[in-house]
Amino acid sequence: MAIIAPSFLASDFLRLAEECNMVNSSGAQWLHLDIMDGHFVPNISFGLPVVAAIRSATSKVCDVHLMIEEPGIYAEAFRNAGADNLCVHIEACPHLHRNIQQIKSLGMKAGVAVNPHTPVGLLSDILHEVDLVNLMSVNPGFGGQQFIPFTLRKIQQLRTMIDERNLNVLIEIDGGVTLNNAAEIIAAGADVLVVGTTVFKAKDPVDVIAQLQKL
Ligand code: DX5
Ligand code: ZN
């Protein structure tokens, strides 16, 4: 069964407490929080106080996806805000190994996110150091986009890299996941599905999460 991580980017920000209650009452194991700085991606989302507020309302695994430049400056602040997993973009980190060591030394799980055009082969030398790879299946910055089909092949490539070396690294897919494509994504080798629009814009989000978990 895949881990489902509802992405609060698609939630109703006027009703955050109720959205947290919805996730709490669902079978979702994680929740996903998208941080954007207006530089690494052409959008700004929300920041530390919102992460801390959501964290205080749920005990689900808090999976924070940093779409920001110089993430190392903020890693400790996100740990203090309650992040369990902290994911940085390979494209934003010229010293990725240092970022990963920092995240782990702060007591969090270390994730690396890769944009759709970034080859998974670039992760080869660092893979044994990371806990989680976030394979972006849309160009980061916005919710509600269409899944980019060629990223399915990247899931399979990464699955093979991980399995051949018997590593304990989770593959997370982020962007455009729907009830129609989730089975194919899981079959390709994904462990974690980030789901924004499909969950939060549904009439019955708890039921959508349950349906995703049956796949
Ligand atoms: C996009 C974010 C995603 C986004 C997914 O930059 O990283 O986590 O919230 O939203 P949907 O599921 O609507 O594509
Ligand atoms: Zn994300």
Side-chain angles (χ1 to χ4, degrees):
M1 186 172 81
I3 294 171
I4 306 301
S7 170
F8 273 72
L9 191 62
S11 71
D12 181 347
F13 294 162
L14 267 182
R15 299 172 46 255
L16 270 184
E18 290 157 61
E19 300 285 48
C20 288
N21 289 340
M22 180 281 288
V23 173
N24 287 339
S25 69
S26 79
Q29 303 91 326
W30 292 13
L31 55 88
H32 184 84
L33 301 178
D34 288 304
I35 311 301
M36 306 178 185
D37 66 353
H39 290 276
F40 179 68
V41 288
N43 197 9
I44 297 174
S45 54
F46 48 79
L48 289 157
V50 175
V51 174
I54 292 173
R55 163 83 290 168
S56 72
T58 175
S59 55
K60 305 276 182 182
V61 172
C62 183
D63 181 48
V64 174
H65 176 193
L66 296 183
M67 284 160 275
I68 67 175
E69 289 172 4
E70 302 205 62
I73 298 174
Y74 302 99
E76 189 170 1
F78 279 102
R79 193 275 313 268
N80 294 342
D84 296 301
N85 306 338
L86 198 64
C87 196
V88 297
H89 265 266
I90 190 169
E91 301 86 2
C93 294
H95 308 289
L96 181 63
H97 179 262
R98 180 180 295 150
N99 294 100
I100 289 166
Q101 299 309 315
Q102 179 197 23
I103 293 167
K104 293 202 289 194
S105 72
L106 286 164
M108 294 177 284
K109 302 273 190 205
V112 178
V114 301
N115 281 338
H117 76 280
T118 301
V120 292
L122 287 181
L123 294 165
S124 178
D125 290 330
I126 199 79
L127 201 53
H128 63 286
E129 297 279 353
V130 309
D131 298 299
L132 168 75
V133 175
N134 175 325
L135 284 182
M136 291 301 305
S137 39
V138 298
N139 288 298
F142 303 92
Q145 302 181 78
Q146 292 271 320
F147 185 88
I148 299 173
F150 76 74
T151 59
L152 264 185
R153 202 165 60 233
K154 295 176 66 184
I155 304 173
Q156 293 160 346
Q157 287 170 355
L158 185 59
R159 181 84 267 156
T160 303
M161 285 167 68
I162 291 169
D163 290 350
E164 274 178 353
R165 290 157 63 182
N166 210 10
L167 297 175
N168 193 14
V169 181
L170 294 174
I171 302 178
E172 175 177 61
I173 302 307
D174 190 2
V177 176
T178 67
L179 283 168
N180 292 327
N181 62 18
E184 204 177 8
I185 292 167
I186 293 167
D191 303 295
V192 184
L193 305 183
V194 175
V195 198
T197 305
T198 295
V199 164
F200 282 102
K201 305 295 190 215
K203 278 212 179 77
D204 187 345
V206 172
D207 180 61
V208 169
I209 291 167
Q211 287 187 55
L212 289 165
Q213 289 182 314
K214 279 192 205 122
L215 297 172

